[in-house]
Amino acid sequence: MKKKICHLTSMHHRFDGRIFHKECVSLSNAGYDVSLIVADGKGDEIVDGIKIYDVGKELSRITRFSKLLKKIKYRAIELNCEVYHFHDPELLFVGLSLKKIDKKVIFDMHENIPEYISEKQNIRPLLLRKIIAFLYERIEKYAVKKFDAIISTRESINERLSDYNSNIELITNFPIVENNIKKTFDLVPSICFAGVVASDWRHKEIINAIDGLEKVKYILAGPAPDLRYFDELKKLKGWGKVNYLGRVPFDQVKLVYQKASIGVAIYVYCKNMDDKKGNLANTKLFEYMNWEIPIICTDYSLWKQIVVEEVQCGICVNPYDEDAISNAIKYLIDNPEVAVKMGKNGRKAVLSTYNWDTQAKKLVALYNKATKNNC
């Protein structure tokens, strides 16, 4: 019989790129019986062999902790799987409860969570934010000692937690290789971005940067949860060059990339990105490379090493410098042969190194070890 495993998320979409399309599908292809518990109110279903169980949606923060987490825990216990793999920090106590009944538990840390909390501007005042980050880190260090494995998306997590759990595996968000690349460029060159429309991604600076460029448009896809920030963007002079598509389904993002001349991944310097060093947790660099799109990105030292020095697939800029962003865009538009060469360099690097298959092998090996020890 296939060994039963279960992924749990209280915050992510059921078809989240990392959780469903990469990890769940890879484990199913490796021969595991995979279930996924979600909390989005869209009901149960089976997709690509993955059994999705919905415990319902809770909007209130109070009911999230008083009801939702209990629902997830009881549904998880009811499924009686060998391994439980959770993706959200608020599920720490669910994971600990599953350990008490002798289940294998894996914590998949998408973010460097204490740093992420410490920089969340919506938690006020600053003192409260620091207290929450401090308390969470204390609880986290206690909990990770109990879990059978930790999966991380960046080296800084491994460095911070290696003293508390030696079984930590770095599994990045490299893309699933797109086999059929069919570019359909528009007459007007376009830069593109698919992700959350938030200030951290410097959309204001990008829109201001293209305002003075004659032939360029900005294809922007993704949710805009901060309405105040979104309204600020719409009032910018350069907004007339923006083609905003709203939230785009995972399988439709490729339609954005097919038309794009340049991909932008311009993020702020912050602790969660390891300050000016950067990390490989974000998918955008490698998605652009996958689609033969030249990149303009933040000049983190790690990104610069890959994008400029190693692969030669783009240009790195200071995320706060609108002139540098504008000059980089103009250079790639005015030098299409250079842009094409960069795109092909990126694609070659994805095929050889920066692809999900390399990470799936590490994930499956981790599970094989965990379930073997469970026999």
Side-chain angles (χ1 to χ4, degrees):
M1 293 181 63
K2 292 184 176 181
K3 294 175 180 178
K4 295 174 63 178
I5 64 174
C6 181
H7 284 243
L8 300 84
T9 178
S10 56
M11 301 174 67
H12 292 81
H13 189 272
R14 64 178 58 203
F15 298 125
D16 177 85
R18 178 178 177 86
I19 298 172
F20 182 88
H21 289 283
K22 292 178 181 176
E23 295 185 336
C24 287
V25 170
S26 294
L27 291 165
S28 178
N29 290 341
Y32 287 96
D33 181 344
V34 183
S35 297
L36 170 63
I37 296 177
V38 298
D40 58 12
K42 296 182 179 180
D44 299 349
E45 62 179 326
I46 300 176
V47 179
D48 294 340
I50 313 299
K51 294 183 284 292
I52 301 175
Y53 298 99
D54 178 25
V55 300
K57 194 171 185 177
E58 296 286 348
L59 298 177
S60 166
R61 288 186 179 182
I62 296 175
T63 55
R64 283 184 67 81
F65 285 95
S66 64
K67 294 181 181 180
L68 181 61
L69 301 188
K70 287 183 180 179
K71 290 180 182 179
I72 292 174
K73 181 180 74 172
Y74 292 137
R75 194 58 180 270
I77 293 172
E78 181 182 305
L79 292 177
N80 192 29
C81 298
E82 293 184 55
V83 180
Y84 292 90
H85 182 152
F86 72 95
H87 295 265
D88 306 297
E90 65 183 19
L91 295 176
L92 272 175
F93 291 107
V94 175
L96 290 172
S97 295
L98 293 168
K99 281 303 302 176
K100 288 181 179 179
I101 57 174
D102 293 326
K103 297 296 184 180
K104 297 286 184 179
V105 177
I106 298 171
F107 183 12
D108 197 327
M109 302 181 69
H110 297 204
E111 308 282 350
N112 199 336
I113 301 163
E115 302 290 10
Y116 178 75
I117 293 172
S118 70
E119 295 181 323
K120 283 187 71 68
Q121 298 296 320
N122 61 337
I123 301 177
R124 298 176 181 175
L126 175 61
L127 178 60
L128 176 61
R129 196 186 314 158
K130 290 183 176 180
I131 292 172
I132 293 173
F134 171 77
L135 292 176
Y136 174 81
E137 187 168 17
R138 293 290 296 271
I139 296 170
E140 180 188 70
K141 287 178 178 178
Y142 166 80
V144 299
K145 295 178 184 178
K146 307 290 184 180
F147 298 144
D148 298 276
I150 306 298
I151 291 175
S152 73
T153 55
R154 58 202 76 191
E155 289 286 358
S156 57
I157 295 175
N158 294 36
E159 293 169 2
R160 186 169 62 83
L161 295 177
S162 61
D163 289 341
Y164 302 92
N165 190 318
S166 60
N167 192 19
I168 301 181
E169 186 67 74
L170 177 68
I171 297 180
T172 66
N173 278 323
F174 293 161
I176 299 168
V177 171
E178 184 67 37
N179 292 320
N180 298 310
I181 299 296
K182 295 180 180 179
K183 302 292 289 183
T184 57
F185 294 116
D186 290 335
L187 293 177
V188 178
S190 62
I191 59 176
C192 77
F193 176 92
V196 179
V197 181
S199 60
D200 288 346
W201 282 109
R202 315 317 288 167
H203 297 291
K204 183 176 180 179
E205 285 74 10
I206 293 167
I207 294 170
N208 286 337
I210 65 173
D211 180 42
L213 302 179
E214 292 184 6
K215 295 181 179 180
V216 64
K217 64 180 179 179
Y218 187 16
I219 304 175
L220 180 58
D226 187 341
L227 296 180
R228 181 179 298 179
Y229 177 69
F230 190 57
D231 286 339
E232 288 181 12
L233 296 182
K234 291 191 291 184
K235 292 176 182 178
L236 296 174
K237 185 179 177 182
W239 182 258
K241 296 185 176 183
V242 177
N243 179 13
Y244 178 59
L245 305 178
R247 184 187 291 272
V248 175
F250 180 85
D251 60 349
Q252 297 299 309
V253 173
K254 64 182 180 182
L255 299 179
V256 175
Y257 293 155
Q258 282 177 339
K259 296 182 178 182
S261 308
I262 302 167
V264 288
I266 303 173
Y267 201 80
V268 296
Y269 304 134
C270 63
K271 292 181 180 179
N272 192 40
M273 284 298 293
D274 302 319
D275 297 311
K276 292 189 176 183
K277 178 182 178 181
N279 54 59
L280 302 182
N282 191 269
T283 63
K284 286 180 179 51
L285 291 187
F286 307 104
E287 288 173 355
Y288 297 148
M289 291 162 67
N290 191 22
W291 278 91
E292 289 190 3
I293 303 171
I295 302 164
I296 298 175
C297 65
T298 300
D299 57 354
Y300 299 122
S301 60
L302 180 58
W303 288 17
K304 187 175 181 179
Q305 178 184 335
I306 295 172
V307 171
V308 176
E309 299 170 9
E310 177 190 326
V311 181
Q312 299 178 6
C313 62
I315 300 171
C316 294
V317 297
N318 183 306
Y320 307 97
D321 189 338
E322 292 178 4
D323 288 338
I325 298 170
S326 181
N327 290 337
I329 295 170
K330 187 176 186 302
Y331 175 78
L332 291 178
I333 291 174
D334 290 346
N335 296 276
E337 70 287 347
V338 174
V340 169
K341 177 64 175 176
M342 286 181 174
K344 291 187 179 299
N345 288 345
R347 171 70 174 177
K348 183 178 179 181
V350 164
L351 292 176
S352 65
T353 307
Y354 301 110
N355 60 76
W356 173 248
D357 285 347
T358 64
Q359 306 305 296
K361 291 176 182 177
K362 294 194 288 184
L363 177 68
V364 171
L366 185 74
Y367 266 80
N368 289 345
K369 179 180 178 182
T371 54
K372 181 179 180 180
N373 292 342
N374 208 32
C375 295

